Amino acid sequence: MRKWALRILFFMLFMLMSYSVLQMPGDIGLDSPAYNEATHHYIEESLGETGAINIIASILTDYRAFDTLGETIVLFTSIIAVISILRPSAKPEEEEAPTDG
Amino acid sequence: MIEFLQMLYDYVNYLGAVALFIIGLHTVVTHSNLIKRIMGINIMGTAVFYFFIAIGNVTGGLPPILTDTPGEYINPLPSVLILTGIVVVVSITVYSLSLVIRIYETYGTIDQDEIAKINERENADD
Amino acid sequence: MIEQLPILNLLVLLSTALVIPLFKKRTFNMTLWFGFFTLFFVFISSIVLTYHVYVHGAFYYHLGGHAPFLGIELLIDGFATFFTTFVLGLLILIYSYSAGDATEGISEKEYGRYYILLFILLFAMLGIIYTNDLFNIYVFMEILSITTCSIISIKRKKENYTSAFRYVMLNEVGSLSFLFGVALIYMITGFTNIGLVADALPDVWALYPANIILAVGFMVIGIGIKAAIFPFHVWLPDAHASAPSSSSAILSGIVIKVYALIFVKMLFRLYGVDLLTELNIPIILTVTASVGMVLGSMFAMAQKDIKRMLGYSSVAQMGYIVLGISLFSYLGLRAAFFHITSHALLKSALFLSVGAIIYKQKERRINHYDGIGKLMPLSMGVFTIAALGMIGIPITSGFISKYNLGLAALDANQTILIGVLVFSGLLNAMYYLPIIIQAFLKEPKTPVYMIKLEKIPLTMMLPIAILGLAILTLGIYPNLVMNLIDLAVESLGF
Amino acid sequence: MGIVNLIIVVLLIVCALAIEKMKDLLGAVIVFSIYSLLMSVLWLVLKTPDVALTEAAIGAGITSILFIAIIGRTERFEK
Amino acid sequence: MDDIIVKSITRIIIPFVQLYGIFIILHGHVSPGGGFSGGALFGTSLILYTLIFGVDKAQKKFSHRVSEIAESGGILIYLSIGVIGIFTAGYFLSNKAAGFPLGEAGSLLSGGMIPLLMIGVGIKVASTMVTLFHTLIMEERL
């Protein structure tokens, strides 16, 4: 029962979102609002400003390099987190039975 | 009718992204298996990224690597945001998978409902 | 040179986190002192920044020297500097406490990792407050969510794993919803810079309303989940209760406040009051906040575990903050900001003093706290001060924030909210007062083996005492921070 | 090009639904790997080779390997 | 796996995969790819090594200490290149303004700091992937 109610709910959410999507700018291409002066600047000036012919690389590690830094830190954090969970702890700790609070 | 179908066809990328987002959300919310929920998060993530890519698309455009070929380049910014996003979602996935291992070791199951039952039983014992 | 200070703060915190794993032998003391110096440096530099902004006004920092529509921009204004200074000051206290009590459930090998995570957490919080770019907010939010989850799960107990798992799932749904909102905004404006988007939105609102409505919905829900705003609070009590005490203080005192700050930033910087009023967001927020205030307190009353009770109390207190925000007025925002500071102090004081009690007595069930005030007068004394602040008794900072909230509600002609405030204060009293009475008036049940007065390391005692003093000081001289709060509110465009 | 796009989107939705329905987690992971590959092909069709490469390496490669590793250490079937 | 064919083929393949990964990292600014995909490929080759030859042998080649240094080191390279910008151009992570030579467009030595940052990211991603895999598949033992 609850399963079906949830399904209907999600379907309604889907219909709602589809309805909204159909009112969004659909003219994929040069007229779409996202293709604005910033995009033109990236395409036309990035070679002169960064020297890389791959525009994505030039944005990734020059214009928005701070995001990339943040992203490497996400990786760093995740590995610290995984190790802190999974790597066996010191020997005396291991012999203790897991205690409950 | 034809117009409506044509419209759906034009919006296929957006609609597909929305559908995948909803499917992913449904998987996260309704399933009690922890690994399934992590997969749901991944589906949701790719759906959002797909939406971004669809925004940047230009019909008949060129990939954003400067060449001598005449033509218009696609919008490069969404791709950049997505490159960051993919790695972020992978990190989250890995972290939650490591939690799953520990949960399996301590509870002997990876089913949310059973874990809740075990917890209840233990709290009742106190 | 002063312009470089914000980025320098971020870099210093980050390199501390990166250098700790490189020490060949990670002695605990060395890590601790190293971290302490870092924190102290960042704290001083952020005080300098606050002064600079107070005198010379806000400034922008363009990373890589690129124009804001191309690159990422940091905005350092009254809002950012006040809250970074506050967060850092509070964190120094909690840090010093954690030096004594990090042992709670964390094995010795993990100390180094705990502090790495702590510094990355701080880095993310500062970054998220400084930044003026939507996608950058998302990236920092993800760093924040992994670190907060892992400082819960670093304590190797099974309930920590499950609560961390639930937290990470909900957090990720929230982040992805936020990112979807960013995508919808980017689709119609083509920018991710908050200032430029805000300039473009009024024009776009006429053309593509569907985008904006969906984006507002997704972003409010996304950040609402992370800030534990009422209907999305399910993860909070478990997560905050199972974490080590110092982490609970950080999570409940600081992290959800930082999310509340992003919430404010998003509502007022990005969308603006006019657009949101047209979408009836203020009313929705007011209703959820009021319901959250009442229900959160009711849930708290039913708890037997003291840390879970404090967790539910945080849900109720987030209601106060959202209530202040939802009035969308100068006074309301001022009250909300004061409540953010005051509740951060109160909740940290509560969690730390409870942590000291747990450290000494190994007891978390409320009905076992008979006569504890006689055994541990200082911890329980600070607990009492903070609890009275939660209820809203005069001369504590809690009173000032409720008074300001009341004034703001009157100013907005919503007298019914005063009733809600008073009722919620009564509910608070109903679950905090019994603990105090029990602790001071009843006789201890098992006095034999711990009749000695509290013997707790000075590094743990001192922060608790300072927090207690700070609560009283703010209660008596609220103007100490009011000027800065005014500056912060003005920098949001009021 | 539009037709290819459409077909891939339909396949993606089918894969996502299959992932949701399957009780065998190992099977679900394999379908998930196919899903990621399809997604990367789709992004190649949409002219974003960088993202497609990353998705193929990270999404289809490493995520799937990790999922399989975890399923090997835990349970294979969903209840 | 004790199959001699699998082992020899893996021995032959792995250097090529690693070379390809390095190629992708270094050519990030002239062709699709870059630090993430290249690093992930490089990491995958080491994961392959682990799958075929076992964790113990792989850990000898890529010990905890190495991975710790590689992880912090990757980001520290990134940071230190960024900090150069503060001193020379007044902004963190400046490229052209900080005086990095841009080189001739399309050649390997172009793009100023971009390849350098990509190398940092690549080291980080590759070591992260391997360490994650090792940590996740390792049974708990002392």
Side-chain angles (χ1 to χ4, degrees):
Chain A
M1 188 57 213
R2 184 167 163 269
K3 210 169 155 188
W4 276 102
L6 269 171
R7 269 183 202 169
I8 291 167
L9 193 80
F10 274 100
F11 187 72
M12 275 161 61
L13 189 64
F14 172 65
M15 291 316 279
L16 190 81
M17 280 175 73
S18 315
Y19 176 72
S20 324
V21 160
L22 291 181
Q23 293 170 15
M24 288 173 189
D27 39 4
I28 297 171
L30 308 182
D31 308 326
S32 70
Y35 207 91
N36 58 2
E37 69 262 30
T39 315
H40 286 291
H41 187 101
Y42 285 135
I43 289 172
E44 283 147 22
E45 311 285 338
S46 74
L47 184 60
E49 286 179 6
T50 66
I53 61 167
N54 184 352
I55 304 174
I56 290 182
S58 73
I59 302 177
L60 194 69
T61 42
D62 190 344
Y63 293 108
R64 298 186 73 90
F66 198 55
D67 272 349
T68 312
L69 176 64
E71 189 237 282
T72 49
I73 293 160
V74 174
L75 271 178
F76 179 77
T77 319
S78 79
I79 195 156
I80 295 286
V82 169
I83 289 176
S84 81
I85 294 173
L86 285 185
R87 196 161 283 178
S89 27
K91 272 183 186 175
E93 288 285 320
E94 204 59 22
E95 280 149 16
E96 266 181 25
T99 48
D100 285 339
Chain B
M1 189 61 199
I2 295 293
E3 274 173 14
F4 182 67
L5 285 180
Q6 177 67 37
M7 197 171 174
L8 288 187
Y9 181 73
D10 288 344
Y11 281 84
V12 62
N13 285 332
Y14 296 148
L15 290 175
V18 167
L20 291 176
F21 187 83
I22 298 283
I23 293 172
L25 189 64
H26 189 252
T27 317
V28 179
V29 173
T30 56
H31 279 258
S32 63
N33 186 297
L34 303 182
I35 292 182
K36 267 289 172 64
R37 295 176 75 185
I38 300 173
M39 283 182 199
I41 289 285
N42 272 285
I43 295 176
M44 261 176 90
T46 39
V48 178
F49 303 154
Y50 177 29
F51 197 84
F52 259 113
I53 297 289
I55 292 170
N57 187 28
V58 172
T59 337
L62 295 171
I65 294 167
L66 296 169
T67 50
D68 296 333
T69 329
E72 295 293 341
Y73 296 101
I74 65 148
N75 190 348
L77 189 58
S79 325
V80 174
L81 304 183
I82 288 338
L83 278 175
T84 308
I86 288 177
V87 179
V88 167
V89 170
V90 169
S91 314
I92 299 272
T93 309
V94 167
Y95 171 69
S96 14
L97 284 176
S98 66
L99 279 175
V100 169
I101 290 185
R102 281 298 179 192
I103 290 174
Y104 184 73
E105 278 174 5
T106 48
Y107 286 91
T109 175
I110 49 168
D111 195 88
Q112 186 83 59
D113 298 341
E114 289 180 12
I115 291 169
K117 267 182 211 157
I118 293 173
N119 274 340
E120 256 173 42
R121 216 178 297 144
E122 283 182 359
N123 287 341
D125 288 347
D126 281 349
Chain C
M1 187 54 210
I2 283 192
E3 279 75 26
Q4 305 291 346
L5 278 183
I7 198 77
L8 215 60
N9 284 350
L10 293 177
L11 289 183
V12 166
L13 290 172
L14 185 55
S15 1
T16 309
L18 292 176
V19 167
I20 290 174
L22 290 183
F23 291 156
K24 190 83 185 175
K25 268 190 181 168
R26 274 169 241 157
T27 53
F28 184 50
N29 278 331
M30 189 172 150
T31 314
L32 213 62
W33 279 107
F34 186 59
F36 187 74
F37 282 124
T38 313
L39 272 181
F40 196 68
F41 168 78
V42 178
F43 184 56
I44 297 291
S45 95
S46 110
I47 288 176
V48 173
L49 261 179
T50 315
Y51 178 74
H52 180 82
V53 169
Y54 193 74
V55 176
H56 300 281
F59 64 92
Y60 292 93
Y61 185 92
H62 296 132
L63 282 152
H66 296 295
F69 72 104
L70 295 174
I72 294 170
E73 177 182 69
L74 306 181
L75 170 55
I76 292 91
D77 56 3
F79 177 78
T81 51
F82 170 66
F83 282 110
T84 45
T85 316
F86 177 71
V87 163
L88 283 164
L90 195 53
L91 212 95
I92 286 182
L93 294 179
I94 298 175
Y95 185 85
S96 134
Y97 173 91
S98 79
D101 192 28
T103 45
E104 201 212 327
I106 303 178
S107 66
E108 209 160 315
K109 248 190 149 185
E110 309 292 332
Y111 285 155
R113 292 189 194 118
Y114 181 73
Y115 287 109
I116 297 171
L117 292 172
L118 201 62
F119 280 103
I120 296 179
L121 179 75
L122 196 52
F123 164 79
M125 287 195 290
L126 290 204
I128 216 166
I129 297 175
Y130 284 145
T131 188
N132 199 25
D133 189 278
L134 282 174
F135 193 75
N136 208 228
I137 288 183
Y138 166 75
V139 172
F140 279 122
M141 226 150 73
E142 293 286 18
I143 302 178
L144 205 52
S145 62
I146 295 194
T147 36
T148 44
C149 291
S150 46
I151 65 173
I152 294 168
S153 66
I154 199 166
K155 188 173 154 187
R156 298 188 167 192
K157 281 193 178 173
K158 51 185 185 177
E159 65 265 39
N160 288 56
Y161 298 135
T162 42
S163 55
F165 189 85
R166 185 190 289 170
Y167 190 17
V168 78
M169 282 296 119
L170 276 169
N171 246 324
E172 194 51 21
V173 171
S175 305
L176 288 174
S177 302
F178 182 83
L179 188 62
F180 202 79
V182 175
L184 289 166
I185 294 278
Y186 178 75
M187 187 179 186
I188 46 171
T189 57
F191 298 114
T192 54
N193 184 291
I194 292 181
L196 292 170
V197 171
D199 289 343
L201 274 184
D203 301 332
V204 180
W205 169 237
L207 289 171
Y208 305 112
N211 273 68
I212 296 180
I213 294 169
L214 269 189
V216 171
F218 273 115
M219 284 166 128
V220 167
I221 290 173
I223 299 181
I225 290 175
K226 284 160 168 285
I229 291 169
F230 165 63
F232 311 112
H233 65 277
V234 280
W235 55 267
L236 185 140
D238 278 341
H240 289 190
S242 52
S245 292
S246 50
S247 309
S248 306
I250 293 171
L251 293 177
S252 221
I254 303 178
V255 174
I256 54 172
K257 305 300 182 312
V258 169
Y259 284 125
L261 293 177
I262 313 167
F263 197 64
V264 169
K265 214 171 177 175
M266 181 192 83
L267 291 182
F268 296 101
R269 284 250 168 81
L270 182 67
Y271 292 112
V273 177
D274 298 335
L275 203 158
L276 291 172
T277 321
E278 210 164 322
L279 290 175
N280 289 329
I281 295 290
I283 297 162
I284 297 170
L285 284 181
T286 312
V287 171
T288 53
S290 316
V291 176
M293 275 155 66
V294 174
L295 281 187
S297 301
M298 289 199 169
F299 287 135
M301 255 184 267
Q303 301 306 317
K304 290 182 189 135
D305 180 323
I306 188 151
K307 283 178 86 176
R308 279 181 74 88
M309 191 198 85
L310 293 178
Y312 273 110
S313 150
S314 282
V315 176
Q317 301 291 321
M318 279 312 284
Y320 286 99
I321 294 170
V322 178
L323 186 72
I325 295 168
S326 74
L327 294 172
F328 277 47
S329 64
Y330 178 81
L331 284 177
L333 214 53
R334 197 161 167 254
F337 282 179
F338 192 83
H339 196 69
I340 287 177
T341 39
S342 128
H343 180 242
L345 289 174
L346 293 169
K347 224 353 119 33
S348 316
L350 284 172
F351 266 119
L352 293 189
S353 52
V354 165
I357 292 168
I358 294 172
Y359 173 80
K360 197 70 190 166
Q361 315 282 47
K362 311 272 183 278
E363 186 53 72
R364 295 172 60 158
R365 277 163 294 178
I366 294 170
N367 49 11
H368 288 232
Y369 277 11
D370 291 354
I372 237 166
K374 290 171 188 164
L375 298 173
M376 311 182 67
L378 204 146
S379 310
M380 208 55 213
V382 172
F383 183 91
T384 310
I385 293 174
L388 292 179
M390 282 286 172
I391 301 165
I393 306 283
I395 80 158
T396 57
S397 61
F399 171 71
I400 307 287
S401 59
K402 287 197 183 167
Y403 174 71
N404 276 322
L405 266 178
L407 278 186
L410 271 185
D411 185 62
N413 286 328
Q414 294 190 323
T415 31
I416 189 169
L417 290 181
I418 307 235
V420 176
L421 275 173
V422 172
F423 182 57
S424 163
L426 277 179
L427 287 177
N428 277 336
M430 277 169 71
Y431 59 87
Y432 278 119
L433 283 181
I435 301 175
I436 300 170
I437 292 169
Q438 198 182 351
F440 280 107
L441 298 183
K442 286 194 183 168
E443 283 303 313
K445 270 182 189 164
T446 49
V448 201
Y449 63 97
M450 41 187 165
I451 201 71
K452 273 186 206 161
L453 286 181
E454 48 192 324
K455 239 189 186 175
I456 284 178
L458 186 70
T459 47
M460 286 168 70
M461 244 29 265
L462 204 63
I464 296 180
I466 292 175
L467 279 174
L469 279 180
I471 292 166
L472 292 177
T473 320
L474 267 192
I476 300 168
Y477 305 107
N479 287 335
L480 284 178
V481 294
M482 267 310 183
N483 288 336
L484 293 169
I485 286 178
D486 282 343
L487 194 70
V489 177
E490 276 156 25
S491 69
L492 285 168
F494 279 95
Chain D
M1 227 22 140
I3 295 295
V4 180
N5 193 336
L6 181 70
I7 293 168
I8 295 177
V9 172
V10 172
L11 284 176
L12 277 172
I13 293 173
V14 170
C15 280
L17 286 174
I19 292 171
E20 213 207 314
K21 282 278 158 272
M22 278 172 113
K23 291 280 176 200
D24 183 355
L25 289 175
L26 199 60
V29 171
I30 291 164
V31 178
F32 179 77
S33 172
I34 298 170
Y35 171 90
S36 292
L37 270 180
L38 276 175
M39 198 54 115
S40 91
V41 171
L42 178 59
W43 288 341
L44 207 58
V45 170
L46 294 177
K47 305 284 164 40
T48 46
D50 292 70
V51 188
L53 194 61
T54 311
E55 171 72 14
I58 288 182
I62 287 171
T63 313
S64 307
I65 292 177
L66 291 177
F67 268 122
I68 291 171
I70 301 305
I71 289 172
R73 285 187 71 171
T74 57
E75 291 170 350
R76 187 174 158 184
F77 291 98
E78 190 186 2
K79 278 163 198 130
Chain E
M1 267 180 257
D2 288 330
D3 192 357
I4 185 87
I5 300 173
V6 174
K7 280 190 175 173
S8 357
I9 289 182
T10 321
R11 277 220 180 84
I12 298 166
I13 284 180
I14 283 178
F16 286 102
V17 177
Q18 289 178 340
L19 199 67
Y20 186 56
I22 294 171
F23 173 85
I24 284 190
I25 293 175
L26 291 182
H27 285 252
H29 53 296
V30 289
S31 64
F36 304 119
S37 14
L41 264 171
F42 197 90
T44 317
S45 78
L46 292 172
I47 289 178
L48 186 64
Y49 185 88
T50 316
L51 283 175
I52 306 297
F53 295 95
V55 183
D56 293 329
K57 256 188 149 179
Q59 290 236 316
K60 259 180 211 150
K61 289 218 163 179
F62 202 81
S63 69
H64 288 176
R65 188 79 195 136
V66 174
S67 75
E68 268 169 4
I69 291 173
E71 273 143 31
S72 290
I75 305 183
L76 283 174
I77 290 175
Y78 200 108
L79 281 185
S80 43
I81 291 167
V83 168
I84 293 173
I86 291 186
F87 291 112
T88 52
Y91 289 107
F92 185 58
L93 287 170
S94 319
N95 188 1
K96 189 182 178 185
F100 286 102
L102 292 191
E104 191 187 337
S107 67
L108 186 59
L109 292 175
S110 67
M113 69 170 178
I114 291 176
L116 301 174
L117 292 186
M118 287 291 192
I119 290 172
V121 175
I123 292 174
K124 169 84 193 95
V125 173
S127 79
T128 304
M129 292 303 162
V130 181
T131 319
L132 282 178
F133 187 68
H134 285 179
T135 321
L136 283 178
I137 65 162
M138 237 183 336
E139 294 295 325
E140 184 152 325
R141 61 191 147 173
L142 300 174

